[in-house]
Amino acid sequence: MELIIVATLFVIVITLIYIYLKRAYSPSPGDLPGVKPHIFFGNLINSGIWTGESAFHQVLLDYQHHFGDKFQYWLGSHRCLVFCRIEHAQTIFADRYTFDNSPLNNSNFDLFCPNSLLLLTGAKWKRHMRILLPMLKLAKIIGHLETIVQCADRFIDQNLHSGQIHRDLLSCCESLTMNVIGFVAFGCDFDIHANSQIKKAVHDFESYVRWLSPLPWIFRWLGKIYLKYNWKYQRASRLFHGLAQKLVEEEQNKQSEMENEPPKNLIAALVSSLNEEANDEQVSSGLTSAEIFDEILTMILFGYEGMPPALLWFIFFASKNPQVQQKMKEELREHHLLMTNNLKCVPPLTANNLSSLTYCECVIKEVLRLAPVIEYTIRIATCDTIVDDVKIHRGQNVFIPLHNINTDARYWHHADPQQFVPERFLAEDKNHHPLAMIPFGGGHRACVGEKLAWLQLKTIIVRMMQRGLN
């Protein structure tokens, strides 16, 4: 008898759960258009994201083509409202109190770096920004220009040779950008190469981040167990902790020898802010050691996966458009910056001559327009509101597909916005809308390392052209 009762209750519970999930995923009369989602997986399967058949930015472009500028996309178990016009982005970015950072921006990243700036909101976010932002402003990082040039030269000498067939440029670009981060942010030569321990650890760490990030939150407890007993991940984590501890201790020794010295790089600012009693009630109370570690790890991961794709896209576009390479070299020749056989007879790259390279700047803008560092951004509504006659309830996620806006013909007029045409920034698209191209995100949650990324990308690309590489 008891067995029958238990079995009956089990069936009832399963039925109720099924009915609840069915209702939760069923469209309502006021919903935006979209593709019917699967339970738990949303549109990840039927859009081809989960199977790898489609890139996410292409899916959002296809949805916009079918459903218009406003539609819904289910990211796993989360229904997201997608807005594709500049006016939408302007409204959402401008209202920082109604739209804040969504957990979906870096889903499950708190399993790895719970104290990272990428995840924080409110007073804690402000406390971290107070430490990080001053060191990542252009006025600070421009002093590292010579170091970036040296890293670029090492990258070129080791990897780019005339007539060479490049089969693993992504790995080489990852090593380059991580080395730049090592020097600029931490004053340390990571000496990253393909088989280095740090490179392997970062690769392993980043692969787990990518694997766990798109999973619906119902699997979070599985993720915690998986990471806890995964020896490969634990080995990478131990190496990172050791590296972070070493960086902190070395900086503490420097600061003990030179008292009252203003911070010159990110690690100096982080160590100067060390305060195990730090709290959100006092914005200027500093960071704890756990918070410092997570910020160090985030910066290294950014160096690993942030800029290498953009650098690879430049190499791709330049190889497909030799006339663009020629124009870049002609501009360098006009400014007496094009090298031939003797590197020493050319003036060094400076902030002034970099800023004078107008066409090179246009090429970099066009690369980032078609291959933005951040393809989309997500905000969460902190209260009920309305955007373009769409009711948004508190707790709902709002998507802004930046790639859609970057390639929208309504905002780009010189040439087909799907084509690589750097000259557009010298013609009628020169004064494009500020939000028509925001490759690093927008609003108060834009990428904090934008200035460093931009300087790094421009310097490396100019250096490659300066040395006459094809």
Side-chain angles (χ1 to χ4, degrees):
M1 184 65 181
E2 291 180 356
L3 185 61
I4 295 175
I5 293 174
V6 171
T8 303
L9 289 174
F10 178 78
V11 171
I12 292 173
V13 169
I14 294 298
T15 303
L16 290 174
I17 291 175
Y18 176 79
I19 293 173
Y20 169 78
L21 291 174
K22 194 72 174 176
R23 287 175 61 86
Y25 285 86
S26 296
S28 302
D31 285 350
L32 291 175
V35 177
K36 186 177 180 180
H38 294 150
I39 292 177
F40 295 128
F41 297 99
N43 295 130
L44 291 173
I45 295 178
N46 53 27
S47 65
I49 299 296
W50 193 274
T51 58
E53 298 173 10
S54 301
F56 193 49
H57 75 273
Q58 188 58 52
V59 169
L60 294 179
L61 285 170
D62 292 342
Y63 274 45
Q64 184 183 12
H65 177 74
H66 285 97
F67 303 116
D69 294 327
K70 299 175 290 185
F71 56 87
Q72 65 178 7
Y73 183 89
W74 286 80
L75 193 64
S77 58
H78 302 275
R79 183 166 72 97
C80 301
L81 308 180
V82 186
F83 294 90
C84 302
R85 291 182 64 87
I86 280 180
E87 295 79 6
H88 300 150
Q90 197 163 21
T91 299
I92 293 167
F93 287 151
D95 195 348
R96 60 186 297 176
Y97 298 105
T98 301
F99 297 100
D100 206 342
N101 186 44
S102 169
L104 293 183
N105 255 328
N106 297 279
S107 181
N108 287 333
F109 192 61
D110 59 325
L111 295 175
F112 307 91
C113 297
N115 300 297
S116 170
L117 181 73
L118 299 176
L119 302 173
L120 306 181
T121 58
K124 193 171 184 178
W125 177 79
K126 292 178 182 178
R127 180 161 56 84
H128 281 237
M129 282 291 286
R130 188 180 179 89
I131 305 300
L132 298 173
L133 188 59
M135 293 296 106
L136 294 172
K137 288 185 175 180
L138 185 59
K140 279 286 186 181
I141 63 174
I142 200 67
H144 299 285
L145 178 58
E146 185 179 349
T147 300
I148 299 175
V149 171
Q150 292 172 357
C151 289
D153 283 339
R154 183 162 69 175
F155 164 74
I156 293 169
D157 292 336
Q158 293 177 352
N159 303 289
L160 303 181
H161 307 290
S162 180
Q164 179 183 0
I165 297 176
H166 306 289
R167 301 184 183 277
D168 195 18
L169 267 180
L170 176 60
S171 178
C172 297
C173 291
E174 290 166 348
S175 299
L176 165 62
T177 54
M178 285 178 64
N179 279 326
V180 171
I181 293 295
F183 280 115
V184 174
F186 307 118
C188 176
D189 186 357
F190 286 168
D191 190 24
I192 300 295
H193 49 81
N195 297 314
S196 70
Q197 279 191 321
I198 297 177
K199 179 70 177 294
K200 289 180 178 179
V202 172
H203 175 77
D204 291 342
F205 205 94
E206 193 264 350
S207 65
Y208 292 117
V209 173
R210 283 186 177 274
W211 184 72
L212 286 175
S213 290
L215 291 179
W217 285 1
I218 194 172
F219 298 121
R220 281 179 59 79
W221 60 277
L222 284 176
K224 290 181 179 179
I225 295 175
Y226 175 76
L227 292 176
K228 183 176 180 180
Y229 294 101
N230 186 293
W231 67 269
K232 204 172 187 180
Y233 167 77
Q234 292 297 329
R235 182 183 64 184
S237 182
R238 285 194 298 271
L239 189 147
F240 273 129
H241 276 281
L243 175 62
Q245 187 63 37
K246 177 184 176 183
L247 292 172
V248 170
E249 289 177 354
E250 289 178 352
E251 183 58 36
Q252 286 175 329
N253 292 334
K254 289 180 184 178
Q255 293 187 9
S256 64
E257 296 173 1
M258 298 180 293
E259 295 182 1
N260 301 320
E261 186 80 13
K264 294 182 179 180
N265 53 23
L266 185 64
I267 187 64
L270 290 172
V271 171
S272 297
S273 72
L274 180 60
N275 177 13
E276 296 297 352
E277 304 299 323
N279 60 78
D280 299 333
E281 294 179 2
Q282 300 178 16
V283 175
S284 60
S285 61
L287 303 177
T288 66
S289 55
E291 291 171 334
I292 289 176
F293 167 75
D294 283 357
E295 296 299 1
I296 291 174
L297 178 54
T298 300
M299 200 68 183
I300 294 175
L301 287 175
F302 169 80
Y304 180 79
E305 66 171 6
M307 292 312 298
L311 190 54
L312 277 184
W313 275 112
F314 163 75
I315 295 173
F316 171 79
F317 286 128
S319 66
K320 295 294 183 181
N321 298 273
Q323 76 282 2
V324 170
Q325 292 187 55
Q326 189 59 36
K327 288 184 179 180
M328 294 178 73
K329 291 178 181 179
E330 287 175 2
E331 184 176 56
L332 287 167
R333 187 178 292 109
E334 290 174 5
H335 290 81
H336 309 289
L337 292 172
L338 186 63
M339 296 179 178
T340 51
N341 296 323
N342 190 347
L343 305 185
K344 296 182 179 179
C345 64
V346 177
L349 281 179
T350 64
N352 288 334
N353 57 34
L354 263 182
S355 63
S356 68
L357 301 174
T358 305
Y359 186 74
C360 291
E361 180 105 355
C362 293
V363 173
I364 297 166
K365 286 181 178 179
E366 187 70 347
V367 170
L368 291 175
R369 186 183 68 83
L370 292 174
V373 175
I374 300 174
E375 294 183 340
Y376 61 86
T377 186
I378 314 175
R379 298 287 189 268
I380 191 169
T382 60
C383 60
D384 293 350
T385 187
I386 297 176
V387 174
D388 195 9
D389 298 327
V390 177
K391 292 182 179 179
I392 303 175
H393 300 289
R394 181 176 181 271
Q396 280 192 316
N397 291 288
V398 175
F399 244 87
I400 303 174
L402 305 183
H403 188 82
N404 292 43
I405 296 176
N406 291 355
T407 57
D408 195 321
R410 292 172 293 188
Y411 313 125
W412 301 97
H413 309 291
H414 175 70
D416 182 356
Q418 300 291 338
Q419 300 300 315
F420 183 78
V421 184
E423 290 76 9
R424 75 174 70 251
F425 293 101
L426 298 173
E428 55 190 315
D429 289 333
K430 180 178 181 179
N431 298 315
H432 61 82
H433 192 286
L435 293 181
M437 196 193 83
I438 42 176
F440 297 94
H444 71 295
R445 302 299 309 212
C447 177
V448 69
E450 174 181 354
K451 300 299 182 184
L452 173 58
W454 182 268
L455 179 66
Q456 177 183 339
L457 183 62
K458 186 173 184 178
T459 303
I460 294 170
I461 287 175
V462 167
R463 195 64 171 176
M464 290 169 63
M465 291 296 100
Q466 192 180 20
R467 292 184 55 174
L469 298 177
N470 296 312

